[in-house]
Amino acid sequence: MSKAKPIPDGMHTVTPHLICAGAADAIEFYKQAFNAVDEGRLPGPQGRIMHAMIRIEGSAVMLVDEMPEWGALGPKSLKGSPVTIHLYVEDVDAFAARAVGAGAKITMPLDDMFWGDRYCKLEDPFGHHWSVATHKRDVSPEEMKRAMQKTGG
């Protein structure tokens, strides 16, 4: 028997694991809005998803249905989320338009930011927060500091 790899092929050291009220619906939303690829689902009791994995732009995201009996509650049940997941994409404008068309809402409009990214923030229909960007230009730390001061940051 071969020795298992500490980090399996195709995985990164940090992988978001989202709890959703309606994980199957969330997977369908992510497929439509984020061009996610469904990697598989493990059904559990009462038709709930015990484990699922999708890939967004090649990165794994795990999902599970809410399971209050195990303390697994999603952002809607918790009345919000303190977490934002960041995505770098090739075309943030097209990405944001597709996400909004699928049901996401813009919480910070698209803009060219002082750190060199074209950037926006979204909330998906399940209450998860996403920041999405396309890197447009490299900015030195000094230039970034000056630009940030001009914006009042």
Side-chain angles (χ1 to χ4, degrees), residues 43-50 67:
Q46 295 96 38
R48 296 185 295 185
I49 292 179
M50 299 296 291
M67 294 183 203

Side-chain angles (χ1 to χ4, degrees), residues 110-121:
L110 272 162
D111 202 357
D112 294 326
M113 306 308 279
F114 65 85
W115 60 83
D117 289 354
R118 182 146 175 82
Y119 177 92
C120 74
K121 289 172 111 176

Side-chain angles (χ1 to χ4, degrees), residues 36-118:
V37 175
D38 188 344
E39 295 276 316
R41 306 171 194 201
L42 177 63
Q46 295 96 38
R48 296 185 295 185
I49 292 179
M50 299 296 291
H51 174 77
M53 190 165 76
I54 60 175
R55 287 202 183 268
I56 300 171
E57 301 281 330
S59 291
V61 176
M62 297 180 190
L63 297 99
V64 64
D65 267 310
E66 283 191 320
M67 294 183 203
E69 67 275 21
W70 294 101
L73 299 171
K76 295 276 186 172
S77 294
L78 295 170
K79 310 266 187 279
S81 175
V83 175
T84 298
I85 302 166
H86 185 73
L87 301 173
Y88 272 111
V89 298
E90 291 289 325
D91 183 346
V92 69
D93 292 86
F95 188 98
R98 186 175 61 245
V100 167
K105 70 178 180 186
I106 299 276
T107 58
M108 182 178 173
L110 272 162
D111 202 357
D112 294 326
M113 306 308 279
F114 65 85
W115 60 83
D117 289 354
R118 182 146 175 82

